[in-house]
Amino acid sequence: MQLDGLTLFGLLSLSAMLVFYALEHRSHWYVLAMAGACIAASVYGFLQGAWPFGVLELIWAGIASKRWLALKQTSSLA
């Protein structure tokens, strides 16, 4: 099996999403990293031509960003 650059980018971005999702409970910074990985996965989706996937990943990035802001404010108050 041979991977082209786009497929490798997709594999890495989706793997990062999985890892950061699993680590979200440790720090709000992992939630932010999850948002960044969602943006990367969205870029992959659009570049691959699967625009519904790209749109959904952008939505997940927005949700993760909102969660990060809420968690950051909570942790700064403590």
Side-chain angles (χ1 to χ4, degrees):
M1 185 171 100
Q2 196 172 21
L3 298 177
D4 62 356
L6 182 59
T7 303
L8 183 60
F9 175 70
L11 176 65
L12 292 175
S13 62
L14 292 172
S15 297
M17 279 179 51
L18 179 64
V19 169
F20 294 138
Y21 179 75
L23 296 173
E24 279 185 340
H25 67 282
R26 294 185 179 203
S27 171
H28 66 275
W29 294 110
Y30 288 114
V31 178
L32 181 62
M34 169 68 175
C38 287
I39 291 170
S42 177
V43 169
Y44 165 72
F46 284 117
L47 289 175
Q48 188 211 25
W51 66 266
F53 179 79
V55 170
L56 289 175
E57 288 302 327
L58 275 180
I59 292 169
W60 277 117
I63 292 168
S65 297
K66 188 173 179 178
R67 285 186 56 233
W68 175 72
L69 284 173
L71 289 170
K72 183 181 174 205
Q73 290 174 350
T74 303
S75 67
S76 67
L77 296 176

